Amino acid sequence: MSPEPVNLHRRFVTATREALANPELSRLLNEATVRLNERRAASVAAVPDWQALRERAHQIKKDALANLDALLARFEHEATAHGARVHHAPAAADACRIISDIARASGATSAVKGKSMVSEEVHLNAALAEAGVRAIESDLGEFIVQIAGETPSHIIAPALHKSRGDVSRLFAEKLGIPLTDDLETLTRAAREHLRAEFAAAGLGLSGVNLAVAETGTIVLLENEGNIRLSTSMPRVHVALMGIEKVIPRTADLPVFLTLLPRNATGQPMATYVSMLTGPRRPGELDGPDELHIVVLDNGRSALRADPVAREALMCIRCGACLNACPVYRTIGGHAYGTVYAGPIGSVISPYLQPAASAPDLPFASSLCGACAEVCPVKIDLPGLLVHLRGLAMRGDLAGERVAARGLQRIAMWMWAFAMRTPARYRLASRLLRLGLRPFVRDGWIRRLPGPAGGWTGARDFPAPAKKTFRQSWTAGLKR
Ligand code: SF4
């Protein structure tokens, strides 16, 4: 019997309600995002030509997307010439199959992983487990969520939803250390556990931050050194990258090496920047014998084919739009139900993870514009969300169709009717003010009946002003 299809809308609503009812989650989200936002703001303010850098990054990414096929071909040519093997994965299942085959051929029984959201996207760990290979997350945050049996809740801070106490209890249970809230002790425990895994692993797995077409180089940014170990200690290194990671030239790199760490964590630069061009050469002491680069599409070409939504492929996964978003800051990453959360997740998930994406995702935004203001590559996220809302309402977005419910449809029709001429608008305003009058108490509307009660369930409205803006304006002009 096939499993019952998941109602993604209901799952999203339930997860959101649960998140809203969790004050500890709310506290952790607030603390972490405020801290990240403050660090980012201070770091960005120290760069005098920040806006020019953003513009430059936008242009580089835009041009790269326009010439993507040629850049990928050049990248493959150069990477191959330097000894790497390039594989193409049209879908998530292809990436898992290719990497499982490489793992089997290498004889590895365990693999150490650097943080890679794209490997979460394709559910690589589960596929490797089926192939008899144990995948070990080596990024501290990823390690925490892995041993907790959870998934990351933030692009750059996977364990953002966990408190120090949570981690202490987890490590006591899983690693057998005494309870402690000393961060150094907790980190040392994870490090000691992972060192043995690095030494034993036959396979190293990583994502890719940027891929340089002219040299066939993959570039990786990190702070913990675990990616450097994952990519150099095991005999075989597999790097999984989305097609959108390619940029034309090495000369473009400084722009992103400046923007990404400052925008992500507020650091002037990442602690470690690894630029890998092919595997270890004869005579070199470090590095893998084999470097495999798996180039993943998995819905990205469909996203690129949309002339508006394609801009989302410029994303460099800094996570700043999540921290800026009032919706993410209220419900956290898990409520979205997809690997990519926040404003960017709501745009790309329907393409990259259609089977997990609730049709409501593009609607999970106040459209306040904070995400666009912090985006280092100037992606017009509110514009894309509105665009996707249109697609969802028309049933043209991957996943379930958003059904305009009866009353919603009638309300939108009435709104459109009223907005068509000034006379109708004036009449509608007057009728609305009259209709709301019975609900006003002490200058506020605290409860509305029927479906409108959804609006007042979590907020109060000020009562409509005695005079409309137009009446006040006209009176002012006559004075
Ligand atoms: S959309 Fe922009 S702000 Fe959000 S993660 Fe991507 S690059 Fe960062």
Side-chain angles (χ1 to χ4, degrees):
M1 209 169 70
S2 56
E4 191 134 315
V6 181
N7 184 318
L8 295 167
H9 163 71
R10 202 169 304 140
R11 190 187 70 183
F12 180 59
V13 171
T14 306
T16 302
R17 287 205 174 122
E18 283 170 5
L20 289 172
N22 184 342
E24 174 65 0
L25 177 66
S26 170
R27 185 185 69 79
L28 291 169
L29 285 169
N30 191 50
E31 268 179 26
T33 53
V34 165
R35 192 171 56 240
L36 284 165
N37 283 336
E38 285 176 356
R39 283 191 197 155
R40 176 199 166 272
S43 186
V44 163
V47 182
D49 55 352
W50 183 256
Q51 296 306 330
L53 270 180
R54 287 177 78 205
E55 193 54 57
R56 180 85 192 104
H58 182 90
Q59 207 51 52
I60 293 168
K61 281 288 197 176
K62 191 174 173 187
D63 292 347
L65 281 178
N67 300 302
L68 195 60
D69 295 341
L71 286 177
L72 285 170
R74 175 84 193 270
F75 172 76
E76 179 169 353
H77 176 80
E78 296 299 330
T80 307
H82 288 93
R85 275 179 254 173
V86 178
H87 310 258
H88 296 274
D94 300 307
C96 290
R97 179 182 42 75
I98 292 165
I99 298 173
S100 297
D101 287 349
I102 296 168
R104 274 195 210 97
S106 74
T109 54
S110 68
V112 276
K113 287 180 70 197
K115 186 162 79 63
S116 154
M117 293 308 284
V118 73
S119 75
E120 299 281 348
E121 174 192 325
V122 302
H123 302 298
L124 182 59
N125 289 7
L128 285 172
E130 275 181 28
V133 179
R134 196 168 51 91
I136 303 121
E137 299 291 347
S138 64
D139 170 90
L140 182 58
E142 284 271 5
F143 176 70
I144 291 167
V145 294
Q146 185 182 35
I147 63 172
E150 298 175 5
T151 52
S153 64
H154 190 283
I155 297 175
I156 61 150
L160 177 136
H161 58 288
K162 291 220 169 291
S163 69
R164 201 183 291 200
D166 293 335
V167 177
S168 173
R169 285 186 290 280
L170 183 69
F171 279 17
E173 182 196 334
K174 303 284 182 182
L175 306 183
I177 64 164
L179 284 172
T180 174
D181 63 357
D182 179 48
L183 285 181
E184 212 170 297
T185 308
L186 291 168
T187 310
R188 193 179 314 118
R191 185 188 295 148
E192 280 165 10
H193 178 84
L194 287 168
R195 283 282 156 157
E197 300 285 13
F198 280 119
L203 193 72
L205 294 163
S206 74
V208 171
N209 288 111
L210 297 153
V212 183
E214 72 174 355
T215 57
T217 303
I218 56 172
V219 183
L220 293 152
L221 280 71
E222 56 158 334
N223 287 324
E224 298 174 12
N226 63 306
I227 291 184
R228 197 160 274 193
L229 287 171
S230 302
T231 57
S232 57
M233 279 184 76
R235 202 184 63 75
V236 179
H237 169 206
V238 180
L240 178 59
M241 63 174 259
I243 55 173
E244 78 281 14
K245 295 290 177 181
V246 71
I247 56 169
R249 298 161 297 266
T250 307
D252 300 323
L253 274 178
V255 175
F256 298 99
L257 298 185
T258 307
L259 287 174
L260 182 50
R262 281 186 187 271
N263 224 62
T265 56
Q267 292 167 268
M269 64 183 295
T271 310
Y272 300 95
V273 178
S274 301
M275 298 174 66
L276 308 174
T277 312
R280 178 163 56 93
R281 293 170 186 76
E284 288 181 347
L285 293 177
D286 298 316
D289 294 341
E290 295 174 24
L291 169 60
H292 298 264
I293 302 170
V294 181
V295 184
L296 177 74
D297 189 311
N298 199 36
R300 287 163 174 78
S301 288
L303 182 51
R304 183 169 167 247
D306 183 315
V308 179
R310 72 185 319 186
E311 197 173 310
L313 287 171
M314 294 180 188
C315 173
I316 56 173
R317 306 280 190 268
C318 72
C321 60
L322 280 66
N323 308 330
C325 175
V327 175
Y328 176 89
R329 292 169 62 167
T330 308
I331 62 173
H334 287 153
Y336 288 77
T338 49
V339 167
Y340 304 104
I344 187 62
S346 296
V347 176
I348 61 176
S349 299
Y351 292 90
L352 310 190
Q353 292 199 296
S357 299
D360 324 60
L361 287 183
F363 298 83
S365 165
S366 63
L367 299 182
C368 64
C371 49
E373 273 180 36
V374 297
C375 180
V377 280
K378 297 188 79 169
I379 298 173
D380 176 19
L381 285 159
L384 302 196
L385 287 164
V386 170
H387 174 66
L388 260 70
R389 287 180 185 189
L391 294 180
M393 295 302 288
R394 290 194 294 274
D396 292 338
L397 193 62
E400 295 167 48
R401 179 180 176 174
V402 171
R405 289 169 261 298
L407 277 173
Q408 195 179 1
R409 234 176 227 287
I410 294 168
M412 292 314 284
W413 183 87
M414 285 167 61
W415 183 83
F417 180 81
M419 293 299 282
R420 245 173 232 133
T421 69
R424 286 185 200 175
Y425 176 79
R426 274 197 298 275
L427 178 65
S429 310
R430 208 169 299 150
L431 289 175
L432 194 62
R433 280 146 52 84
L434 279 175
L436 289 173
R437 199 173 281 171
F439 304 102
V440 175
R441 302 272 181 285
D442 306 325
W444 289 91
I445 297 172
R446 298 201 167 83
R447 189 171 300 167
L448 285 170
W455 282 92
T456 46
R459 59 179 86 73
D460 298 336
F461 282 124
K466 289 215 165 52
K467 282 185 185 168
T468 64
F469 172 76
R470 279 166 166 269
Q471 286 168 332
S472 303
W473 180 262
T474 313
L477 285 182
K478 282 181 185 157
R479 234 180 264 139

